[in-house]
Structures are given as structure tokens and as C-alpha cells.
Amino acid sequence: MQACLDLLKAFKHLHKGPKGSHIMCDAKEGPKKLLSQFVVTDNLRLLLNDMDAVPFVNSTAQPPVLAKCGHRQFSEEDFVAPEQLWPYHGEPFNDHRMPGYDEKCDIWRIPDTLLTLLGLGFSQKFRPGFQVVFKGTFEWLYQICQQKDSERRADINSVYKVFNGLVTTAKDFIKEEEEEAQDF
């Protein structure tokens, strides 16, 4: 779970610069590609490493500074948020007409990336009580991170706070199980 926190801390760093944010364009190809942008240390910590495609954005500037990840049309099979898809259905793609977007496109990808990092069946390692908390937390993360309207999506600080709460709960469950094991 620490690697997930490291990933979220990297997004916090990218999204909360003093003059604006940066988005991770290399992440558009899926969770594994996003994770390939990090170095894994000996103690399984993630360090942001590959930052060749992190354009600057500032959606609160006048006029807003928005970016596009590449100059091609994405499909729904790509690991992209709705605002990264061609909005003019029935018309041929034209990069000059494609609207830019901000860091909220990264937020869209977070739940799937966290689940990829944790691995299938992660919550099954814990008691049913934690499994319920885990499922509820991820349902909520999907709800707040994958709003179709990017302005309604959570920011990275909110996502970090929720996931950090899940980590604390997991640690509490582990501690409780260890204490019960000692009682036998």
C-alpha cells in the first residue's frame, strides 16, 4: 500500500506546483505504462523518474493554460479521461480543433492504477470487515475520480486523504490480527 501512497504523492507534487500543474501524458496507455514512469527502490518505494511528457497546465489562469497529450485521436480503449476523446462525433479528427485539458485527466486514471498496483485479490488477504471497507473506499474513489465532467472530479489532495485513511484502517486490522494471534 506504500507504493500506492508514493504514486499519489507524485501526483500531488505534479498537480500542486506554485504556478500550476503538470499532467502525466505517458499515462494514457494504461496503468502499466503509467507505473513504468517510476523507479522501484529496494524497499519497494516508488520514485517518479520519467518526466519527458508532463506538460504544464493552469486551469485557473486567465486565459486557462491547457494541454493535449500528443497529436492523435484517442479511443475509449485508451486509458484516457472523457475530455481527452474527440468531442465532435461524426467529424474527422483535427488536432487544431481538439480542446486542451488539465490535471483532472490524471485523476480519472487513479482508481484503476491503484488496483493494478495492489494486485487482484488484495483485499482478500484481510478479514471480511476490511474487505467491506476496501470495497466501499474503491467504489467511492471511482465515483469521485471518474465523473464525466472533469470539474466535478476530486482533486489529488482529496484522493490522497481517502486512500491514506484506507491505509490506516489496514494497519489497524493488521495490528488487531497480530494481537489476537498473540492471545492464543
Side-chain angles (χ1 to χ4, degrees):
M1 291 184 92
Q2 182 59 51
C4 292
L5 287 174
D6 291 342
L7 174 83
L8 294 175
K9 286 177 186 175
F11 277 120
K12 282 178 72 168
H13 175 73
L14 289 171
H15 289 190
K16 297 298 172 192
K19 295 183 180 179
S21 302
H22 293 270
I23 57 177
M24 286 193 73
C25 283
D26 284 340
K28 68 187 177 292
E29 296 171 32
K32 290 181 182 175
K33 176 64 175 175
L34 187 149
L35 294 172
S36 75
Q37 308 304 299
F38 293 83
V39 171
V40 180
T41 66
D42 291 341
N43 60 349
L44 301 178
R45 301 293 302 263
L46 294 182
L47 300 175
L48 189 56
N49 180 50
D50 184 354
M51 296 183 57
D52 64 331
V54 288
F56 174 79
V57 295
N58 186 343
S59 58
T60 61
Q62 291 302 321
V65 178
L66 304 174
K68 293 185 281 186
C69 293
H71 302 283
R72 69 174 179 89
Q73 182 175 0
F74 298 124
S75 72
E76 290 184 13
E77 287 79 41
D78 290 312
F79 192 51
V80 295
E83 63 270 22
Q84 293 178 278
L85 298 172
W86 177 243
Y88 309 111
H89 302 287
E91 295 183 30
F93 178 76
N94 180 331
D95 185 49
H96 297 293
R97 290 188 58 212
M98 179 67 193
Y101 33 85
D102 64 17
E103 72 276 5
K104 294 291 184 106
C105 66
D106 285 339
I107 300 295
W108 178 272
R109 299 182 254 277
I110 287 175
D112 290 320
T113 305
L114 294 176
L115 287 176
T116 298
L117 256 177
L118 293 171
L120 292 175
F122 171 80
S123 69
Q124 305 305 313
K125 299 173 187 173
F126 294 91
R127 290 185 184 175
F130 179 74
Q131 292 173 22
V132 170
V133 172
F134 183 87
K135 183 176 186 250
T137 300
F138 269 88
E139 285 174 355
W140 192 79
L141 282 172
Y142 273 103
Q143 183 180 356
I144 66 167
C145 292
Q146 293 193 342
Q147 293 283 330
K148 296 275 186 212
D149 179 357
S150 65
E151 291 181 18
R152 296 187 65 210
R153 273 182 224 140
D155 67 7
I156 190 60
N157 288 326
S158 299
V159 174
Y160 182 86
K161 184 176 178 181
V162 169
F163 193 82
N164 195 39
L166 181 65
V167 170
T168 301
T169 302
K171 288 177 182 178
D172 291 345
F173 270 90
I174 291 168
K175 184 178 177 183
E176 185 179 305
E177 286 179 352
E178 288 172 349
E179 288 171 357
E180 286 179 9
Q182 289 176 355
D183 290 342
F184 285 110

